[in-house]
Amino acid sequence: MGRFVLEESCRHIRELQLKHPGHRQLRLSVNLSNKQFFQADLFDQVRRALLSSGLEPACLGLEITEGVIIQHAESASTRFARLKSLGVQLYLDDFGKGYSSLNYLHRFRWTS
């Protein structure tokens, strides 16, 4: 289901950009479920969705919950780096709902 939502969302936002040339910088944010974030082929899912839709990577934001990041810090950090290499934006969802502080989150690379 997550793969379908990602692909269709990218396709729809690209269609809107093409239909309304004045809004080519229109962006999209997609929540990734905990399960989807740890799928072995997540990087390929995102890459394929971008390629098949023609959406610029900077127009796609991926939202990941704070709990996933805290519970799986090492593997999350590696996944962030791979996703950032595609040029997509990464967003922290549900921050402050119990787990971490800003100091803890500094260990992750959120920017290129």
Side-chain angles (χ1 to χ4, degrees):
M1 181 68 141
R3 178 178 302 166
F4 174 79
V5 169
L6 179 64
E7 290 174 357
E8 286 298 302
S9 298
C10 287
R11 186 178 64 76
H12 283 292
I13 201 77
R14 183 62 182 142
E15 286 176 2
L16 284 172
Q17 289 174 335
L18 292 172
K19 187 175 181 179
H20 304 283
H23 299 285
R24 290 198 187 269
Q25 294 304 314
L26 192 59
R27 296 172 187 258
L28 165 73
S29 291
V30 176
N31 280 32
L32 296 179
S33 70
N34 299 355
K35 183 178 178 182
Q36 187 177 15
F37 183 69
F38 287 105
Q39 288 176 344
D41 68 339
L42 175 63
F43 179 84
D44 291 325
Q45 287 180 42
V46 173
R47 187 177 52 79
R48 277 192 305 266
L50 291 169
L51 288 173
S52 67
S53 67
L55 185 67
E56 290 292 325
C59 293
L60 175 62
L62 301 175
E63 297 184 18
I64 300 103
T65 62
E66 172 192 15
V68 170
I69 295 165
I70 302 308
Q71 293 173 3
H72 306 281
E74 281 304 312
S75 58
S77 184
T78 302
R79 288 178 177 279
F80 288 154
R82 285 200 74 204
L83 291 169
K84 285 298 291 179
S85 74
L86 288 172
V88 300
Q89 305 299 306
L90 298 176
Y91 301 113
L92 183 61
D93 193 20
D94 292 339
F95 179 74
K97 291 199 174 183
Y99 290 101
S100 65
S101 69
L102 290 174
N103 287 332
Y104 182 82
L105 294 176
H106 280 292
R107 70 187 283 188
F108 299 102
R109 292 196 57 194
W110 293 96
T111 58
S112 307

